[in-house]
Amino acid sequence: MLFKAKFKTTVAIEKERLQLWNDYNTYKKVELSDELRSYLALKERVESIPFLEKKKEIEMLRFKGSPEETMLKEFQKLQKNKKLNRYFETIPSADLERFNVISKSGKLENLIELETFVKGGQFKANRLAFKKQKKADKENKDVWEKTEAYLKKKKYDDLKSSPDVLFHKRFSKSKNYKNFLAIDDSALLHQFEDLKAEIESTKFKDRKAYLEDVKRYEKTEDFKLLLQFDALDSKNDIQLYLKYNDTDAFKFFREWTPTFEVVFIKIDLEIW
């Protein structure tokens, strides 16, 4: 059996040649263009390891598991601390305000001074001396209740049982005040205040919002470069250049100069 070889028709060959010639002209035009230079520069940039690593790093960022989340959780934990809550409830209380007013009034210092006089032996000595004088001098008309010693003792008793002093003594032994003293200027309080200041800062809020933004990469300058590259990469002329670059497809056009050429207006298929 004889097999008939299939040969391309002249029309098909000419059509392919013309297409290749057009592609060659387009290739040369693109080869010398600023657009290609921009494309190649962008290609080198967006396909570089530092660029890709930076893109991956930004896209992988998450608020969950970040130092910022750890900081926020620690602060929220401290917000539930019973001792701190009691401390912050005590600070604006009327009881603490009254306690501080009494402490600064001088009443307590006066009480201590009078107590030293009464219990330190001076009051007892004055009373004994008064009695001796009365016994030695029958004409002595002095009254004990009008003596300085008696008046000091009475003032001491009155002050000791006064509402302010009794309140001060009671509040100083209360759980709220003991907790206030334990927390005030403590490491725990400083930790809470430092975390609070950090978390309420604009810097922290901006960082948190950035980490929670799933489109954060799209807001970078690198993403703009990537869009520029994609736009150029999608152009037909650029793709044509890439298709033929580093190939021998145009070797004939580069190396040969035609000496004779016939352009057919209409091809006679019986001849060709």
Side-chain angles (χ1 to χ4, degrees):
M1 178 181 287
L2 296 175
F3 293 94
K4 185 177 180 181
K6 292 184 178 180
F7 296 99
K8 291 183 179 181
T9 66
T10 304
V11 172
I13 294 173
E14 182 63 13
K15 184 177 181 181
E16 288 179 3
R17 187 188 74 82
L18 287 175
Q19 181 62 56
L20 191 62
W21 173 251
N22 290 334
D23 288 351
Y24 176 58
N25 287 318
T26 300
Y27 178 90
K28 288 195 297 179
K29 180 181 177 182
V30 173
E31 187 177 32
L32 301 175
S33 68
D34 292 336
E35 192 172 64
L36 177 64
R37 280 192 287 273
S38 297
Y39 172 81
L40 294 176
L42 284 170
K43 181 178 174 65
E44 182 179 4
R45 175 79 178 273
V46 302
E47 292 180 355
S48 67
I49 292 177
F51 187 93
L52 295 174
E53 287 181 345
K54 184 179 178 182
K55 180 176 184 291
K56 182 179 179 181
E57 179 184 342
I58 293 174
E59 290 179 335
M60 288 181 66
L61 287 174
R62 297 289 186 276
F63 179 70
K64 186 177 181 180
S66 67
E68 287 76 15
E69 187 200 31
T70 301
M71 189 182 299
L72 181 59
K73 284 185 175 180
E74 183 62 27
F75 177 68
Q76 291 171 339
K77 181 180 177 181
L78 290 177
Q79 282 183 310
K80 298 176 183 178
N81 185 285
K82 292 182 179 179
K83 292 182 178 180
L84 282 171
N85 284 329
R86 176 173 284 183
Y87 172 82
F88 289 119
E89 288 170 1
T90 302
I91 287 179
S93 68
D95 284 349
L96 181 62
E97 183 180 3
R98 183 182 178 188
F99 179 85
N100 289 332
V101 169
I102 295 169
S103 297
K104 297 174 183 178
S105 67
K107 291 181 179 180
L108 300 178
E109 290 80 1
N110 195 12
L111 180 64
I112 292 172
E113 184 181 343
L114 292 170
E115 188 173 54
T116 300
F117 172 77
V118 172
K119 295 183 177 182
Q122 188 62 44
F123 172 76
K124 186 176 181 180
N126 286 2
R127 188 171 185 180
L128 288 175
F130 181 83
K131 287 181 178 180
K132 285 182 180 180
Q133 288 178 358
K134 291 286 287 184
K135 188 176 182 180
D137 183 3
K138 300 296 183 180
E139 300 296 327
N140 189 335
K141 304 297 183 181
D142 291 340
V143 180
W144 167 245
E145 287 74 10
K146 292 184 179 182
T147 62
E148 182 181 357
Y150 176 85
L151 294 175
K152 281 186 176 183
K153 173 66 166 59
K154 185 178 185 306
K155 186 176 181 181
Y156 167 71
D157 292 337
D158 291 343
L159 191 57
K160 185 173 67 170
S161 60
S162 69
D164 281 351
V165 170
L166 290 176
F167 168 81
H168 192 280
K169 184 178 181 180
R170 184 173 64 253
F171 185 75
S172 66
K173 296 178 180 179
S174 68
K175 288 183 178 180
N176 284 349
Y177 187 64
K178 288 180 178 179
N179 180 74
F180 174 83
L181 292 178
I183 298 299
D184 196 44
D185 201 32
S186 66
L188 182 64
L189 179 61
H190 287 308
Q191 181 186 11
F192 176 84
E193 290 176 337
D194 290 344
L195 284 172
K196 186 174 187 293
E198 180 66 27
I199 287 170
E200 291 180 351
S201 68
T202 302
K203 178 182 176 182
F204 182 89
K205 291 176 181 178
D206 289 347
R207 178 63 177 174
K208 183 174 181 291
Y210 174 75
L211 293 174
E212 292 176 332
D213 185 3
V214 294
K215 295 184 177 182
R216 75 182 73 86
Y217 184 72
E218 296 177 15
K219 298 174 183 178
T220 64
E221 292 299 318
D222 281 6
F223 184 73
K224 292 179 182 178
L225 294 178
L226 199 56
L227 289 179
Q228 293 175 23
F229 171 75
D230 289 341
L232 291 173
D233 190 56
S234 64
K235 286 199 167 187
N236 292 333
D237 287 357
I238 295 292
Q239 287 301 316
L240 182 144
Y241 173 86
L242 296 175
K243 174 184 175 181
Y244 290 111
N245 195 41
D246 296 328
T247 71
D248 293 330
F250 300 137
K251 184 177 181 181
F252 174 81
F253 297 119
R254 290 194 178 102
E255 296 180 356
W256 294 85
T257 302
T259 58
F260 176 75
E261 182 176 17
V262 176
V263 177
F264 293 93
I265 304 301
K266 184 176 180 181
I267 299 177
D268 189 339
L269 296 180
E270 293 182 0
I271 299 175
W272 297 98

Short mmCIF file of all heavy atoms in Angstrom, two decimals, residues 73-92 175-176 178-196:
data_model
loop_
_atom_site.label_atom_id
_atom_site.label_comp_id
_atom_site.label_asym_id
_atom_site.label_seq_id
_atom_site.Cartn_x
_atom_site.Cartn_y
_atom_site.Cartn_z
N LYS A 73 -4.11 39.60 76.68
CA LYS A 73 -4.63 38.55 77.57
C LYS A 73 -4.14 38.76 78.99
O LYS A 73 -4.89 38.55 79.95
CB LYS A 73 -4.19 37.18 77.06
CG LYS A 73 -4.99 36.69 75.86
CD LYS A 73 -4.58 35.27 75.48
CE LYS A 73 -5.47 34.73 74.36
NZ LYS A 73 -5.08 33.35 73.98
N GLU A 74 -2.89 39.16 79.14
CA GLU A 74 -2.34 39.41 80.47
C GLU A 74 -3.07 40.57 81.14
O GLU A 74 -3.38 40.53 82.33
CB GLU A 74 -0.84 39.70 80.37
CG GLU A 74 -0.15 39.91 81.71
CD GLU A 74 -0.20 38.69 82.61
OE1 GLU A 74 -0.30 37.56 82.10
OE2 GLU A 74 -0.15 38.88 83.85
N PHE A 75 -3.35 41.60 80.35
CA PHE A 75 -4.08 42.76 80.88
C PHE A 75 -5.50 42.36 81.28
O PHE A 75 -5.99 42.76 82.35
CB PHE A 75 -4.12 43.87 79.83
CG PHE A 75 -4.92 45.07 80.26
CD1 PHE A 75 -4.48 45.89 81.28
CD2 PHE A 75 -6.12 45.37 79.62
CE1 PHE A 75 -5.22 47.00 81.68
CE2 PHE A 75 -6.86 46.48 80.01
CZ PHE A 75 -6.41 47.29 81.04
N GLN A 76 -6.16 41.58 80.45
CA GLN A 76 -7.53 41.14 80.76
C GLN A 76 -7.56 40.26 82.00
O GLN A 76 -8.52 40.30 82.78
CB GLN A 76 -8.11 40.39 79.55
CG GLN A 76 -8.38 41.30 78.36
CD GLN A 76 -8.73 40.53 77.10
OE1 GLN A 76 -8.42 39.35 76.96
NE2 GLN A 76 -9.39 41.20 76.17
N LYS A 77 -6.50 39.49 82.19
CA LYS A 77 -6.39 38.66 83.39
C LYS A 77 -6.26 39.53 84.63
O LYS A 77 -6.89 39.28 85.67
CB LYS A 77 -5.17 37.73 83.26
CG LYS A 77 -4.98 36.81 84.45
CD LYS A 77 -3.75 35.93 84.23
CE LYS A 77 -3.50 35.04 85.43
NZ LYS A 77 -2.28 34.19 85.24
N LEU A 78 -5.44 40.58 84.52
CA LEU A 78 -5.26 41.49 85.66
C LEU A 78 -6.54 42.28 85.94
O LEU A 78 -6.80 42.64 87.09
CB LEU A 78 -4.10 42.45 85.38
CG LEU A 78 -2.70 41.84 85.39
CD1 LEU A 78 -1.66 42.88 85.02
CD2 LEU A 78 -2.37 41.23 86.74
N GLN A 79 -7.32 42.53 84.91
CA GLN A 79 -8.58 43.24 85.10
C GLN A 79 -9.54 42.45 85.99
O GLN A 79 -10.43 43.03 86.62
CB GLN A 79 -9.25 43.52 83.75
CG GLN A 79 -8.66 44.68 82.99
CD GLN A 79 -9.40 44.95 81.71
OE1 GLN A 79 -9.65 44.05 80.90
NE2 GLN A 79 -9.78 46.21 81.50
N LYS A 80 -9.36 41.14 86.05
CA LYS A 80 -10.22 40.28 86.86
C LYS A 80 -9.62 40.00 88.24
O LYS A 80 -10.23 39.29 89.05
CB LYS A 80 -10.47 38.96 86.13
CG LYS A 80 -11.19 39.12 84.80
CD LYS A 80 -11.32 37.79 84.08
CE LYS A 80 -11.97 37.95 82.72
NZ LYS A 80 -12.07 36.66 81.99
N ASN A 81 -8.42 40.54 88.49
CA ASN A 81 -7.76 40.31 89.77
C ASN A 81 -8.56 40.96 90.91
O ASN A 81 -8.83 42.16 90.89
CB ASN A 81 -6.34 40.89 89.72
CG ASN A 81 -5.54 40.58 90.96
OD1 ASN A 81 -5.76 41.17 92.02
ND2 ASN A 81 -4.61 39.65 90.83
N LYS A 82 -8.95 40.16 91.90
CA LYS A 82 -9.80 40.64 92.99
C LYS A 82 -9.11 41.72 93.82
O LYS A 82 -9.76 42.69 94.24
CB LYS A 82 -10.20 39.48 93.89
CG LYS A 82 -11.13 38.49 93.20
CD LYS A 82 -11.53 37.37 94.15
CE LYS A 82 -12.49 36.39 93.46
NZ LYS A 82 -12.88 35.28 94.35
N LYS A 83 -7.84 41.56 94.08
CA LYS A 83 -7.12 42.55 94.89
C LYS A 83 -7.04 43.89 94.17
O LYS A 83 -7.21 44.94 94.80
CB LYS A 83 -5.72 42.03 95.21
CG LYS A 83 -5.71 40.83 96.15
CD LYS A 83 -4.30 40.39 96.48
CE LYS A 83 -4.31 39.23 97.46
NZ LYS A 83 -2.93 38.78 97.79
N LEU A 84 -6.78 43.84 92.86
CA LEU A 84 -6.72 45.08 92.09
C LEU A 84 -8.10 45.75 92.02
O LEU A 84 -8.21 46.97 92.14
CB LEU A 84 -6.21 44.81 90.68
CG LEU A 84 -4.70 44.61 90.53
CD1 LEU A 84 -4.35 44.14 89.13
CD2 LEU A 84 -3.94 45.89 90.85
N ASN A 85 -9.12 44.93 91.81
CA ASN A 85 -10.47 45.48 91.75
C ASN A 85 -10.87 46.14 93.07
O ASN A 85 -11.49 47.21 93.08
CB ASN A 85 -11.48 44.39 91.38
CG ASN A 85 -11.41 44.04 89.90
OD1 ASN A 85 -11.10 44.87 89.07
ND2 ASN A 85 -11.70 42.80 89.57
N ARG A 86 -10.52 45.49 94.19
CA ARG A 86 -10.83 46.07 95.50
C ARG A 86 -10.05 47.37 95.69
O ARG A 86 -10.56 48.34 96.25
CB ARG A 86 -10.50 45.08 96.61
CG ARG A 86 -10.69 45.63 98.00
CD ARG A 86 -10.50 44.56 99.06
NE ARG A 86 -11.67 43.69 99.12
CZ ARG A 86 -11.81 42.70 100.01
NH1 ARG A 86 -10.84 42.44 100.86
NH2 ARG A 86 -12.89 41.96 100.00
N TYR A 87 -8.82 47.37 95.22
CA TYR A 87 -7.98 48.57 95.32
C TYR A 87 -8.62 49.74 94.57
O TYR A 87 -8.73 50.85 95.10
CB TYR A 87 -6.59 48.27 94.77
CG TYR A 87 -5.69 49.48 94.64
CD1 TYR A 87 -4.99 49.96 95.74
CD2 TYR A 87 -5.54 50.14 93.42
CE1 TYR A 87 -4.16 51.06 95.63
CE2 TYR A 87 -4.72 51.25 93.30
CZ TYR A 87 -4.03 51.70 94.41
OH TYR A 87 -3.22 52.81 94.30
N PHE A 88 -9.04 49.48 93.32
CA PHE A 88 -9.64 50.55 92.50
C PHE A 88 -11.01 50.97 93.01
O PHE A 88 -11.44 52.10 92.77
CB PHE A 88 -9.72 50.11 91.04
CG PHE A 88 -8.37 50.04 90.37
CD1 PHE A 88 -7.89 48.85 89.85
CD2 PHE A 88 -7.57 51.17 90.27
CE1 PHE A 88 -6.65 48.78 89.24
CE2 PHE A 88 -6.33 51.11 89.66
CZ PHE A 88 -5.87 49.92 89.14
N GLU A 89 -11.70 50.09 93.72
CA GLU A 89 -12.97 50.46 94.33
C GLU A 89 -12.75 51.32 95.57
O GLU A 89 -13.58 52.18 95.91
CB GLU A 89 -13.75 49.20 94.72
CG GLU A 89 -14.32 48.45 93.52
CD GLU A 89 -14.88 47.09 93.91
OE1 GLU A 89 -14.85 46.76 95.13
OE2 GLU A 89 -15.34 46.35 93.02
N THR A 90 -11.63 51.09 96.26
CA THR A 90 -11.33 51.82 97.50
C THR A 90 -10.87 53.24 97.22
O THR A 90 -11.21 54.17 97.97
CB THR A 90 -10.25 51.06 98.31
OG1 THR A 90 -10.72 49.73 98.59
CG2 THR A 90 -9.94 51.77 99.62
N ILE A 91 -10.10 53.42 96.17
CA ILE A 91 -9.51 54.73 95.88
C ILE A 91 -10.55 55.87 95.85
O ILE A 91 -10.34 56.89 96.50
CB ILE A 91 -8.72 54.69 94.54
CG1 ILE A 91 -7.42 53.91 94.74
CG2 ILE A 91 -8.40 56.09 94.06
CD1 ILE A 91 -6.59 53.78 93.49
N PRO A 92 -11.66 55.73 95.13
CA PRO A 92 -12.61 56.85 95.07
C PRO A 92 -13.64 56.84 96.21
O PRO A 92 -14.55 57.67 96.23
CB PRO A 92 -13.31 56.64 93.73
CG PRO A 92 -13.32 55.14 93.58
CD PRO A 92 -12.07 54.64 94.23
N LYS A 175 -10.32 45.24 105.79
CA LYS A 175 -9.75 44.49 104.66
C LYS A 175 -9.45 45.43 103.49
O LYS A 175 -8.43 45.28 102.81
CB LYS A 175 -10.71 43.41 104.21
CG LYS A 175 -10.83 42.23 105.18
CD LYS A 175 -11.75 41.16 104.61
CE LYS A 175 -11.84 39.98 105.54
NZ LYS A 175 -12.74 38.91 105.00
N ASN A 176 -10.35 46.39 103.27
CA ASN A 176 -10.16 47.32 102.15
C ASN A 176 -8.89 48.14 102.30
O ASN A 176 -8.13 48.31 101.34
CB ASN A 176 -11.36 48.25 102.03
CG ASN A 176 -12.57 47.55 101.42
OD1 ASN A 176 -12.46 46.44 100.91
ND2 ASN A 176 -13.72 48.19 101.48
N LYS A 178 -6.24 47.46 104.31
CA LYS A 178 -5.06 46.59 104.28
C LYS A 178 -4.72 46.20 102.84
O LYS A 178 -3.54 46.14 102.46
CB LYS A 178 -5.33 45.34 105.12
CG LYS A 178 -5.33 45.60 106.63
CD LYS A 178 -5.59 44.31 107.39
CE LYS A 178 -5.56 44.58 108.91
NZ LYS A 178 -5.83 43.35 109.68
N ASN A 179 -5.76 45.93 102.03
CA ASN A 179 -5.54 45.62 100.62
C ASN A 179 -4.99 46.84 99.87
O ASN A 179 -4.10 46.72 99.02
CB ASN A 179 -6.86 45.18 99.98
CG ASN A 179 -6.71 44.83 98.51
OD1 ASN A 179 -6.16 43.80 98.14
ND2 ASN A 179 -7.20 45.71 97.64
N PHE A 180 -5.51 48.02 100.23
CA PHE A 180 -5.04 49.26 99.62
C PHE A 180 -3.54 49.44 99.86
O PHE A 180 -2.78 49.77 98.94
CB PHE A 180 -5.82 50.44 100.19
CG PHE A 180 -5.31 51.78 99.74
CD1 PHE A 180 -5.69 52.31 98.51
CD2 PHE A 180 -4.43 52.51 100.53
CE1 PHE A 180 -5.20 53.54 98.10
CE2 PHE A 180 -3.95 53.74 100.12
CZ PHE A 180 -4.33 54.26 98.89
N LEU A 181 -3.11 49.23 101.09
CA LEU A 181 -1.68 49.38 101.43
C LEU A 181 -0.83 48.33 100.71
O LEU A 181 0.30 48.62 100.30
CB LEU A 181 -1.50 49.25 102.94
CG LEU A 181 -2.08 50.37 103.80
CD1 LEU A 181 -1.85 50.07 105.28
CD2 LEU A 181 -1.51 51.73 103.43
N ALA A 182 -1.38 47.11 100.58
CA ALA A 182 -0.62 46.03 99.94
C ALA A 182 -0.44 46.27 98.44
O ALA A 182 0.61 45.95 97.87
CB ALA A 182 -1.31 44.70 100.18
N ILE A 183 -1.47 46.85 97.82
CA ILE A 183 -1.43 47.04 96.36
C ILE A 183 -0.79 48.36 95.96
O ILE A 183 -0.10 48.44 94.94
CB ILE A 183 -2.86 46.96 95.78
CG1 ILE A 183 -3.45 45.57 96.04
CG2 ILE A 183 -2.86 47.26 94.29
CD1 ILE A 183 -2.68 44.44 95.40
N ASP A 184 -1.00 49.40 96.75
CA ASP A 184 -0.50 50.73 96.40
C ASP A 184 1.02 50.71 96.20
O ASP A 184 1.77 50.27 97.07
CB ASP A 184 -0.88 51.73 97.50
CG ASP A 184 -0.74 53.16 97.02
OD1 ASP A 184 -1.18 53.46 95.90
OD2 ASP A 184 -0.21 53.99 97.79
N ASP A 185 1.46 51.17 95.02
CA ASP A 185 2.88 51.24 94.66
C ASP A 185 3.53 49.85 94.58
O ASP A 185 4.74 49.72 94.67
CB ASP A 185 3.65 52.11 95.66
CG ASP A 185 4.95 52.62 95.06
OD1 ASP A 185 5.00 52.85 93.83
OD2 ASP A 185 5.94 52.75 95.82
N SER A 186 2.72 48.81 94.38
CA SER A 186 3.24 47.44 94.28
C SER A 186 3.65 47.13 92.84
O SER A 186 3.26 47.82 91.89
CB SER A 186 2.18 46.43 94.74
OG SER A 186 1.08 46.45 93.86
N ALA A 187 4.41 46.03 92.68
CA ALA A 187 4.82 45.59 91.34
C ALA A 187 3.59 45.20 90.52
O ALA A 187 3.53 45.44 89.30
CB ALA A 187 5.77 44.40 91.46
N LEU A 188 2.59 44.62 91.19
CA LEU A 188 1.36 44.21 90.51
C LEU A 188 0.63 45.42 89.93
O LEU A 188 0.17 45.40 88.79
CB LEU A 188 0.45 43.47 91.48
CG LEU A 188 -0.87 42.94 90.91
CD1 LEU A 188 -0.60 41.87 89.86
CD2 LEU A 188 -1.75 42.37 92.03
N LEU A 189 0.55 46.48 90.73
CA LEU A 189 -0.13 47.69 90.27
C LEU A 189 0.63 48.34 89.12
O LEU A 189 0.03 48.77 88.13
CB LEU A 189 -0.27 48.68 91.42
CG LEU A 189 -0.95 50.01 91.07
CD1 LEU A 189 -2.37 49.79 90.59
CD2 LEU A 189 -0.94 50.95 92.28
N HIS A 190 1.94 48.40 89.22
CA HIS A 190 2.75 48.99 88.15
C HIS A 190 2.62 48.19 86.86
O HIS A 190 2.57 48.76 85.76
CB HIS A 190 4.21 49.07 88.58
CG HIS A 190 4.48 50.12 89.61
ND1 HIS A 190 4.09 51.43 89.46
CD2 HIS A 190 5.09 50.05 90.83
CE1 HIS A 190 4.46 52.14 90.52
NE2 HIS A 190 5.06 51.32 91.37
N GLN A 191 2.57 46.87 86.99
CA GLN A 191 2.40 46.01 85.81
C GLN A 191 1.06 46.30 85.13
O GLN A 191 0.99 46.43 83.90
CB GLN A 191 2.46 44.53 86.22
CG GLN A 191 2.32 43.58 85.04
CD GLN A 191 2.22 42.12 85.47
OE1 GLN A 191 2.06 41.81 86.65
NE2 GLN A 191 2.33 41.21 84.51
N PHE A 192 0.02 46.42 85.94
CA PHE A 192 -1.31 46.71 85.40
C PHE A 192 -1.33 48.08 84.70
O PHE A 192 -1.84 48.21 83.59
CB PHE A 192 -2.33 46.68 86.53
CG PHE A 192 -3.72 47.07 86.09
CD1 PHE A 192 -4.57 46.14 85.52
CD2 PHE A 192 -4.17 48.39 86.23
CE1 PHE A 192 -5.85 46.50 85.09
CE2 PHE A 192 -5.45 48.75 85.81
CZ PHE A 192 -6.29 47.80 85.24
N GLU A 193 -0.78 49.08 85.36
CA GLU A 193 -0.80 50.43 84.80
C GLU A 193 0.03 50.53 83.53
O GLU A 193 -0.35 51.23 82.58
CB GLU A 193 -0.30 51.43 85.85
CG GLU A 193 -1.28 51.61 87.02
CD GLU A 193 -0.74 52.52 88.10
OE1 GLU A 193 0.50 52.66 88.19
OE2 GLU A 193 -1.56 53.07 88.86
N ASP A 194 1.17 49.82 83.50
CA ASP A 194 2.01 49.82 82.30
C ASP A 194 1.29 49.15 81.12
O ASP A 194 1.33 49.65 79.99
CB ASP A 194 3.34 49.10 82.57
CG ASP A 194 4.24 49.89 83.50
OD1 ASP A 194 3.99 51.09 83.69
OD2 ASP A 194 5.19 49.30 84.05
N LEU A 195 0.65 48.01 81.40
CA LEU A 195 -0.09 47.30 80.35
C LEU A 195 -1.28 48.14 79.87
O LEU A 195 -1.56 48.20 78.67
CB LEU A 195 -0.59 45.96 80.88
CG LEU A 195 0.46 44.84 80.99
CD1 LEU A 195 -0.13 43.63 81.71
CD2 LEU A 195 0.97 44.43 79.62
N LYS A 196 -1.95 48.78 80.79
CA LYS A 196 -3.11 49.61 80.45
C LYS A 196 -2.69 50.75 79.53
O LYS A 196 -3.35 51.04 78.52
CB LYS A 196 -3.75 50.16 81.71
CG LYS A 196 -5.05 50.94 81.49
CD LYS A 196 -5.67 51.31 82.84
CE LYS A 196 -7.05 51.95 82.66
NZ LYS A 196 -7.01 53.25 82.02
#
